[in-house]
Amino acid sequence: MTATEKNVLSPVQVGPYSLPNRLVMAPLTRNRAEAGNVPGKMNVTYYTQRAGAGLIITEASQIAPEGLGYPQTPGIYSSEQVEGWRLVTEAVHSHGGRIFIQLWHVGRISHPDLQPEGALPVAPSAIAPEGEASTYSGPKPYVTPRALEIDEIPGIVELYRSAAQNAIAAGFDGVEIHSANGYLLDQFLQDNANHRQDAYGGSIENRSRLLLEVVEAVTSVWGADRVGVRLSPGGTFNGMNDSNPKALFTYVVNALNRFGLAYLHLVEPRAYEGVAEEKAKLNTAYFRSIFQGTIVSAGGYNRELADAAIARGDADLIAFGRWYISNPDLAERFALNVPLNPYDRSTFYGGDEKGYIDYPTLQLQTAS
């Protein structure tokens, strides 16, 4: 690699921020928030350990109680949650890091056991996903959600706006709008989950309307250069599919160009099993020719693949998930070209310190 070639350790500008490297800590649900879905001391330690990433994107954080889909995931709607997150951001900043929060509403990927007063989850249409919800009393089959009335949709947009304001109060450097992986905004986008016949259903333009209204609201709070959007055009998670995914996501990405976002965060199709050939083509390289700003790419990357994607110009930054779970000092390990800690899948979701904040850094390994 020549001195002029870019790689994951090259500095990069994202919005107003000069980042020391192109490593992004991917948003990773870990189910370790405290009572009230409040970030606690363990979460502070976890994110601080990983402050060497060019950018941290937090685990998905629900914008309202109705947005909850999994036990012990943090929110960003209560004063207690804001204060919990403030402890995280202050610690990350004290170690030189930058951190965005991912704003989340799960839509139908929930269960009455997780909803206020046992209500039905909401969705664009009353279509139940396949599979089981994660509840505090174990897995339970998904229920048929309640279709949002059209006069409720402005309230959803306002929940995102309020969460964006709370993120400022919590000291974040920016926010990422989660419109991927089969959650509410993705459910509106894709026509196997959206059978609406009003202004938010039917045509691609109508199905994209809610996402674009949310982006408008969030950027009005933050300024577009501190807002990212995550999409999964090749995704199948949570039963998502569309009759014409290429046309849909080409339209969406083109529409996002007008905002001047901090970045577009794309999940590679290879991150999913059973991806159809048409969806497999909806990769970062395809969208590079459409999106006019910074692109973050995620999904199945190792160091070699990441460096190659950046050198080709397909992506500007690379998000690592599993390797950031097991290697808090991933940037340092890449810089020194030393082996990575293996990850333990059995400790990904829920539990205590084990598999969360006890992975060794190089300094600890050298000291021992």
Side-chain angles (χ1 to χ4, degrees), residues 9 23 320 323-324 327-335 340:
L9 297 178
L23 289 165
F320 290 86
W323 292 121
Y324 252 121
N327 296 274
D329 53 352
L330 187 62
E332 184 179 357
R333 288 174 183 269
F334 279 173
L340 304 182

Side-chain angles (χ1 to χ4, degrees), residues 5 35 65 67 69 80 85 101 113 137 169 175 201 240 274 289 336:
E5 269 188 342
E80 293 82 8
W85 278 122
I101 186 170
D113 286 6
S137 54
V175 298
M240 295 311 297
S289 64
L336 297 174

Side-chain angles (χ1 to χ4, degrees), residues 45-70:
T45 301
Y46 170 72
Y47 285 109
T48 307
Q49 288 174 337
R50 290 155 179 81
L55 178 65
I56 292 172
I57 305 171
T58 72
E59 61 209 278
S61 303
Q62 55 268 8
I63 59 173
E66 298 80 12
L68 177 67
Y70 302 86

Side-chain angles (χ1 to χ4, degrees), residues 127-149:
I127 302 170
E130 295 182 1
E132 293 181 318
S134 299
T135 76
Y136 284 97
S137 54
K140 295 186 178 182
Y142 285 119
V143 300
T144 300
R146 178 179 69 81
L148 285 160
E149 300 291 339

